[in-house]
Structures are given as structure tokens and as C-alpha cells.
Amino acid sequence: MKANVIPTPAFDRDKGTVSYSIAVEPGPVYTMGKLSVDNVDDELRDAMVAAWPMPAGAVFNEGAIRGFFATHGIHPALERVFATVNLKYTLVLNEPNHTVDVALRLEKKH
């Protein structure tokens, strides 16, 4: 979540080019914090929470959120709902304990 990318340029003035060497210093490992599901009824919220792929304390992976919304044949009832709405999410980093809270929101398509 907090990686530091350090590009170092190398200039070749004779050729008029520049190339970069990239170093990355990984940040601390963040884990899944709280999950909230907004703008849905209790039944749909319960179904989404039950199907959520990252339990609290698991290493956080933002790709799992996208994958949750893009499944095919894994959660058919949810997939039918997801096909009819705009799916949004917000991440909140909690620095002291290195967790990420996720807020999911379903909005009607216009």
C-alpha cells in the first residue's frame, strides 16, 4: 500500500536518450480491516459479506475486490445483482495497525 518507487535516470547525450533504473522499497504489509456494504438491503448485505473473499486479518489485496465483482458462475445471485448496478468501493488505510477498511457501494445505473 505504501511502496516507495525510486527512478534513477541515465542520460546518453550522444544518442539523445534517457533510460531509467527503477528500485522499489516495499512498504509495510497491510491486512484486511472492516468491511461495510452500503446502499443495499440487509439480505443483500448479508449475502455479500458471506461471499467476501478477504476475511479480517488476511493480507490485503485490492485485486480481490475487482475479482469479487467480476466472477462468473461462482455466486450467480450476486452476479445478477452486480450486472445491474455500478459497483464502487472506498479504501481507508489505518496507519497505526496497518489495516485497510473497505466500503462497498452499489448504485443504480443511469
Side-chain angles (χ1 to χ4, degrees), residues 28-83:
V29 173
Y30 281 74
T31 58
M32 180 67 197
K34 298 176 195 169
L35 172 66
S36 63
V37 182
D38 303 322
N39 206 31
V40 299
D41 63 32
D42 290 342
E43 184 179 341
L44 180 55
R45 180 180 297 107
D46 291 346
M48 290 176 68
V49 169
W52 184 246
M54 266 187 300
V59 173
F60 183 76
N61 173 4
E62 189 172 358
I65 300 170
R66 293 185 191 103
F68 179 65
F69 292 134
T71 62
H72 298 288
I74 296 174
H75 303 290
L78 288 176
E79 292 162 12
R80 283 191 293 276
V81 171
F82 294 165

Side-chain angles (χ1 to χ4, degrees), residues 3-32:
N4 186 23
V5 178
I6 306 158
T8 304
F11 299 96
D12 185 332
R13 302 218 187 275
D14 293 336
K15 294 181 182 176
T17 62
V18 63
S19 60
Y20 288 88
S21 173
I22 306 293
V24 178
E25 296 172 351
V29 173
Y30 281 74
T31 58
M32 180 67 197

Side-chain angles (χ1 to χ4, degrees), residues 59-105:
V59 173
F60 183 76
N61 173 4
E62 189 172 358
I65 300 170
R66 293 185 191 103
F68 179 65
F69 292 134
T71 62
H72 298 288
I74 296 174
H75 303 290
L78 288 176
E79 292 162 12
R80 283 191 293 276
V81 171
F82 294 165
T84 65
V85 296
N86 290 318
L87 308 161
K88 302 194 178 206
Y89 66 91
T90 305
L91 306 178
V92 177
L93 300 181
N94 301 300
E95 290 303 325
N97 54 5
H98 295 116
T99 61
V100 180
D101 295 340
V102 177
L104 304 177
R105 183 172 180 83

